[in-house]
Amino acid sequence: SQNLDLYPMPCNDVCNIRLNTFSDKAAIFSIYDLTGKMVFQKFMEIPENNIVTLPVSGQVNGGYILKVTGKTDSACKLFLVR
């Protein structure tokens, strides 16, 4: 999705998310493994620089889906944890 940039890729201890075109000031950040199981969810404020940092150090190496859901905007992106 063009709305989200994740870095570093693959993510290690943290995953930084740049919300490029998000108009909402807060959102629910959900991480799902590739079986569809939710492994993380948190409601967070979106700072003025539009960059949010999520912890991923407790996750097993592999692929995950990030879903960001605000009042008016939402976006999903696949990412890797190593």
Side-chain angles (χ1 to χ4, degrees):
S1 159
Q2 295 171 293
N3 294 340
L4 300 177
D5 289 326
L6 278 75
Y7 61 94
M9 190 60 75
C11 297
N12 200 312
D13 292 328
V14 297
C15 194
N16 298 299
I17 303 143
R18 180 180 291 116
L19 300 148
N20 296 322
T21 59
F22 240 66
S23 60
D24 297 311
K25 299 296 181 214
I28 297 170
F29 292 79
S30 306
I31 297 175
Y32 299 87
D33 67 16
L34 295 183
T35 69
K37 178 183 168 196
M38 183 188 299
V39 296
F40 176 90
Q41 186 173 63
K42 189 173 183 181
F43 179 81
M44 298 176 73
E45 300 288 324
I46 299 171
E48 285 196 26
N49 67 3
N50 285 351
I51 297 173
V52 173
T53 300
L54 297 181
V56 294
S57 59
Q59 304 304 329
V60 176
N61 289 356
Y64 292 86
I65 298 165
L66 170 69
K67 183 175 182 184
V68 182
T69 309
K71 280 187 179 176
T72 57
D73 293 323
S74 66
C76 288
K77 188 146 189 171
L78 183 68
F79 71 100
L80 296 173
V81 172
R82 288 270 186 267

PDB file of all heavy atoms in Angstrom, residues 6-24:
ATOM      1  N   LEU A   6       7.393   0.842   5.664  1.00  0.00           N
ATOM      2  CA  LEU A   6       7.939   0.177   6.847  1.00  0.00           C
ATOM      3  C   LEU A   6       9.442   0.058   6.689  1.00  0.00           C
ATOM      4  O   LEU A   6       9.940  -0.292   5.606  1.00  0.00           O
ATOM      5  CB  LEU A   6       7.340  -1.221   7.002  1.00  0.00           C
ATOM      6  CG  LEU A   6       5.972  -1.302   7.652  1.00  0.00           C
ATOM      7  CD1 LEU A   6       4.895  -0.848   6.716  1.00  0.00           C
ATOM      8  CD2 LEU A   6       5.698  -2.703   8.114  1.00  0.00           C
ATOM      9  N   TYR A   7      10.161   0.317   7.762  1.00  0.00           N
ATOM     10  CA  TYR A   7      11.613   0.177   7.735  1.00  0.00           C
ATOM     11  C   TYR A   7      12.120  -0.049   9.153  1.00  0.00           C
ATOM     12  O   TYR A   7      11.426   0.312  10.106  1.00  0.00           O
ATOM     13  CB  TYR A   7      12.273   1.421   7.102  1.00  0.00           C
ATOM     14  CG  TYR A   7      11.996   2.713   7.842  1.00  0.00           C
ATOM     15  CD1 TYR A   7      12.890   3.189   8.806  1.00  0.00           C
ATOM     16  CD2 TYR A   7      10.839   3.463   7.604  1.00  0.00           C
ATOM     17  CE1 TYR A   7      12.634   4.366   9.507  1.00  0.00           C
ATOM     18  CE2 TYR A   7      10.578   4.625   8.289  1.00  0.00           C
ATOM     19  CZ  TYR A   7      11.480   5.074   9.246  1.00  0.00           C
ATOM     20  OH  TYR A   7      11.223   6.227   9.940  1.00  0.00           O
ATOM     21  N   PRO A   8      13.273  -0.652   9.364  1.00  0.00           N
ATOM     22  CA  PRO A   8      14.074  -1.319   8.316  1.00  0.00           C
ATOM     23  C   PRO A   8      13.344  -2.564   7.824  1.00  0.00           C
ATOM     24  O   PRO A   8      12.453  -3.064   8.499  1.00  0.00           O
ATOM     25  CB  PRO A   8      15.358  -1.700   9.052  1.00  0.00           C
ATOM     26  CG  PRO A   8      14.932  -1.901  10.470  1.00  0.00           C
ATOM     27  CD  PRO A   8      13.825  -0.895  10.697  1.00  0.00           C
ATOM     28  N   MET A   9      13.704  -3.045   6.656  1.00  0.00           N
ATOM     29  CA  MET A   9      13.089  -4.250   6.124  1.00  0.00           C
ATOM     30  C   MET A   9      14.189  -5.244   5.842  1.00  0.00           C
ATOM     31  O   MET A   9      15.085  -4.930   5.071  1.00  0.00           O
ATOM     32  CB  MET A   9      12.311  -3.930   4.862  1.00  0.00           C
ATOM     33  CG  MET A   9      11.449  -5.064   4.397  1.00  0.00           C
ATOM     34  SD  MET A   9      10.199  -5.604   5.549  1.00  0.00           S
ATOM     35  CE  MET A   9       9.003  -4.307   5.424  1.00  0.00           C
ATOM     36  N   PRO A  10      14.217  -6.423   6.438  1.00  0.00           N
ATOM     37  CA  PRO A  10      13.207  -6.883   7.391  1.00  0.00           C
ATOM     38  C   PRO A  10      13.324  -6.176   8.743  1.00  0.00           C
ATOM     39  O   PRO A  10      14.381  -5.684   9.098  1.00  0.00           O
ATOM     40  CB  PRO A  10      13.501  -8.379   7.538  1.00  0.00           C
ATOM     41  CG  PRO A  10      14.944  -8.516   7.209  1.00  0.00           C
ATOM     42  CD  PRO A  10      15.237  -7.438   6.188  1.00  0.00           C
ATOM     43  N   CYS A  11      12.205  -6.123   9.472  1.00  0.00           N
ATOM     44  CA  CYS A  11      12.198  -5.515  10.806  1.00  0.00           C
ATOM     45  C   CYS A  11      12.955  -6.423  11.772  1.00  0.00           C
ATOM     46  O   CYS A  11      13.024  -7.628  11.584  1.00  0.00           O
ATOM     47  CB  CYS A  11      10.771  -5.308  11.293  1.00  0.00           C
ATOM     48  SG  CYS A  11       9.828  -4.150  10.275  1.00  0.00           S
ATOM     49  N   ASN A  12      13.502  -5.826  12.817  1.00  0.00           N
ATOM     50  CA  ASN A  12      14.316  -6.571  13.766  1.00  0.00           C
ATOM     51  C   ASN A  12      13.687  -6.461  15.151  1.00  0.00           C
ATOM     52  O   ASN A  12      12.769  -7.196  15.469  1.00  0.00           O
ATOM     53  CB  ASN A  12      15.747  -6.018  13.713  1.00  0.00           C
ATOM     54  CG  ASN A  12      16.763  -6.985  14.258  1.00  0.00           C
ATOM     55  OD1 ASN A  12      16.569  -7.533  15.323  1.00  0.00           O
ATOM     56  ND2 ASN A  12      17.818  -7.195  13.504  1.00  0.00           N
ATOM     57  N   ASP A  13      14.138  -5.537  15.976  1.00  0.00           N
ATOM     58  CA  ASP A  13      13.539  -5.330  17.300  1.00  0.00           C
ATOM     59  C   ASP A  13      12.317  -4.426  17.220  1.00  0.00           C
ATOM     60  O   ASP A  13      11.378  -4.568  17.992  1.00  0.00           O
ATOM     61  CB  ASP A  13      14.552  -4.694  18.257  1.00  0.00           C
ATOM     62  CG  ASP A  13      15.693  -5.644  18.584  1.00  0.00           C
ATOM     63  OD1 ASP A  13      15.444  -6.865  18.619  1.00  0.00           O
ATOM     64  OD2 ASP A  13      16.815  -5.163  18.798  1.00  0.00           O
ATOM     65  N   VAL A  14      12.362  -3.465  16.312  1.00  0.00           N
ATOM     66  CA  VAL A  14      11.245  -2.538  16.113  1.00  0.00           C
ATOM     67  C   VAL A  14      10.968  -2.411  14.625  1.00  0.00           C
ATOM     68  O   VAL A  14      11.813  -2.703  13.790  1.00  0.00           O
ATOM     69  CB  VAL A  14      11.533  -1.133  16.700  1.00  0.00           C
ATOM     70  CG1 VAL A  14      11.713  -1.187  18.202  1.00  0.00           C
ATOM     71  CG2 VAL A  14      12.706  -0.475  16.014  1.00  0.00           C
ATOM     72  N   CYS A  15       9.760  -1.959  14.331  1.00  0.00           N
ATOM     73  CA  CYS A  15       9.374  -1.662  12.959  1.00  0.00           C
ATOM     74  C   CYS A  15       8.873  -0.223  12.944  1.00  0.00           C
ATOM     75  O   CYS A  15       7.969   0.128  13.714  1.00  0.00           O
ATOM     76  CB  CYS A  15       8.279  -2.634  12.523  1.00  0.00           C
ATOM     77  SG  CYS A  15       8.000  -2.623  10.765  1.00  0.00           S
ATOM     78  N   ASN A  16       9.488   0.610  12.132  1.00  0.00           N
ATOM     79  CA  ASN A  16       9.060   1.999  11.994  1.00  0.00           C
ATOM     80  C   ASN A  16       8.081   2.091  10.837  1.00  0.00           C
ATOM     81  O   ASN A  16       8.312   1.539   9.769  1.00  0.00           O
ATOM     82  CB  ASN A  16      10.268   2.903  11.727  1.00  0.00           C
ATOM     83  CG  ASN A  16      11.245   2.863  12.874  1.00  0.00           C
ATOM     84  OD1 ASN A  16      10.913   3.225  13.985  1.00  0.00           O
ATOM     85  ND2 ASN A  16      12.456   2.385  12.607  1.00  0.00           N
ATOM     86  N   ILE A  17       6.995   2.803  11.076  1.00  0.00           N
ATOM     87  CA  ILE A  17       5.944   2.929  10.079  1.00  0.00           C
ATOM     88  C   ILE A  17       5.752   4.401   9.750  1.00  0.00           C
ATOM     89  O   ILE A  17       5.473   5.203  10.633  1.00  0.00           O
ATOM     90  CB  ILE A  17       4.616   2.357  10.613  1.00  0.00           C
ATOM     91  CG1 ILE A  17       4.812   0.903  11.023  1.00  0.00           C
ATOM     92  CG2 ILE A  17       3.510   2.494   9.585  1.00  0.00           C
ATOM     93  CD1 ILE A  17       4.037   0.528  12.231  1.00  0.00           C
ATOM     94  N   ARG A  18       5.941   4.741   8.488  1.00  0.00           N
ATOM     95  CA  ARG A  18       5.656   6.104   8.032  1.00  0.00           C
ATOM     96  C   ARG A  18       4.290   6.073   7.361  1.00  0.00           C
ATOM     97  O   ARG A  18       4.073   5.337   6.405  1.00  0.00           O
ATOM     98  CB  ARG A  18       6.715   6.598   7.054  1.00  0.00           C
ATOM     99  CG  ARG A  18       6.411   8.025   6.575  1.00  0.00           C
ATOM    100  CD  ARG A  18       7.435   8.569   5.599  1.00  0.00           C
ATOM    101  NE  ARG A  18       8.708   8.810   6.242  1.00  0.00           N
ATOM    102  CZ  ARG A  18       9.839   8.165   5.937  1.00  0.00           C
ATOM    103  NH1 ARG A  18       9.851   7.233   5.012  1.00  0.00           N
ATOM    104  NH2 ARG A  18      10.955   8.451   6.562  1.00  0.00           N
ATOM    105  N   LEU A  19       3.362   6.865   7.899  1.00  0.00           N
ATOM    106  CA  LEU A  19       1.995   6.945   7.378  1.00  0.00           C
ATOM    107  C   LEU A  19       1.929   8.131   6.425  1.00  0.00           C
ATOM    108  O   LEU A  19       1.741   9.269   6.835  1.00  0.00           O
ATOM    109  CB  LEU A  19       1.015   7.106   8.547  1.00  0.00           C
ATOM    110  CG  LEU A  19       1.067   5.932   9.526  1.00  0.00           C
ATOM    111  CD1 LEU A  19       0.773   6.376  10.931  1.00  0.00           C
ATOM    112  CD2 LEU A  19       0.123   4.856   9.081  1.00  0.00           C
ATOM    113  N   ASN A  20       2.100   7.874   5.144  1.00  0.00           N
ATOM    114  CA  ASN A  20       2.297   8.948   4.168  1.00  0.00           C
ATOM    115  C   ASN A  20       1.079   9.833   3.958  1.00  0.00           C
ATOM    116  O   ASN A  20       1.199  11.051   3.939  1.00  0.00           O
ATOM    117  CB  ASN A  20       2.720   8.344   2.823  1.00  0.00           C
ATOM    118  CG  ASN A  20       4.057   7.654   2.926  1.00  0.00           C
ATOM    119  OD1 ASN A  20       4.951   8.130   3.611  1.00  0.00           O
ATOM    120  ND2 ASN A  20       4.193   6.517   2.272  1.00  0.00           N
ATOM    121  N   THR A  21      -0.076   9.250   3.790  1.00  0.00           N
ATOM    122  CA  THR A  21      -1.251  10.044   3.423  1.00  0.00           C
ATOM    123  C   THR A  21      -2.381   9.883   4.433  1.00  0.00           C
ATOM    124  O   THR A  21      -3.547  10.069   4.103  1.00  0.00           O
ATOM    125  CB  THR A  21      -1.762   9.632   2.027  1.00  0.00           C
ATOM    126  OG1 THR A  21      -2.093   8.246   2.034  1.00  0.00           O
ATOM    127  CG2 THR A  21      -0.721   9.921   0.966  1.00  0.00           C
ATOM    128  N   PHE A  22      -2.029   9.536   5.664  1.00  0.00           N
ATOM    129  CA  PHE A  22      -3.046   9.336   6.695  1.00  0.00           C
ATOM    130  C   PHE A  22      -3.519  10.673   7.220  1.00  0.00           C
ATOM    131  O   PHE A  22      -2.718  11.520   7.605  1.00  0.00           O
ATOM    132  CB  PHE A  22      -2.449   8.505   7.848  1.00  0.00           C
ATOM    133  CG  PHE A  22      -3.163   7.213   8.090  1.00  0.00           C
ATOM    134  CD1 PHE A  22      -3.135   6.212   7.149  1.00  0.00           C
ATOM    135  CD2 PHE A  22      -3.866   7.001   9.266  1.00  0.00           C
ATOM    136  CE1 PHE A  22      -3.791   5.021   7.364  1.00  0.00           C
ATOM    137  CE2 PHE A  22      -4.523   5.817   9.488  1.00  0.00           C
ATOM    138  CZ  PHE A  22      -4.493   4.821   8.537  1.00  0.00           C
ATOM    139  N   SER A  23      -4.835  10.867   7.264  1.00  0.00           N
ATOM    140  CA  SER A  23      -5.374  12.124   7.782  1.00  0.00           C
ATOM    141  C   SER A  23      -5.777  12.005   9.252  1.00  0.00           C
ATOM    142  O   SER A  23      -5.944  13.009   9.927  1.00  0.00           O
ATOM    143  CB  SER A  23      -6.575  12.558   6.945  1.00  0.00           C
ATOM    144  OG  SER A  23      -7.587  11.573   6.985  1.00  0.00           O
ATOM    145  N   ASP A  24      -5.928  10.766   9.747  1.00  0.00           N
ATOM    146  CA  ASP A  24      -6.346  10.577  11.138  1.00  0.00           C
ATOM    147  C   ASP A  24      -5.195  10.878  12.097  1.00  0.00           C
ATOM    148  O   ASP A  24      -4.030  10.713  11.763  1.00  0.00           O
ATOM    149  CB  ASP A  24      -6.827   9.137  11.353  1.00  0.00           C
ATOM    150  CG  ASP A  24      -8.053   8.805  10.526  1.00  0.00           C
ATOM    151  OD1 ASP A  24      -8.996   9.609  10.557  1.00  0.00           O
ATOM    152  OD2 ASP A  24      -8.053   7.774   9.843  1.00  0.00           O
TER     153      ASP A  24
END
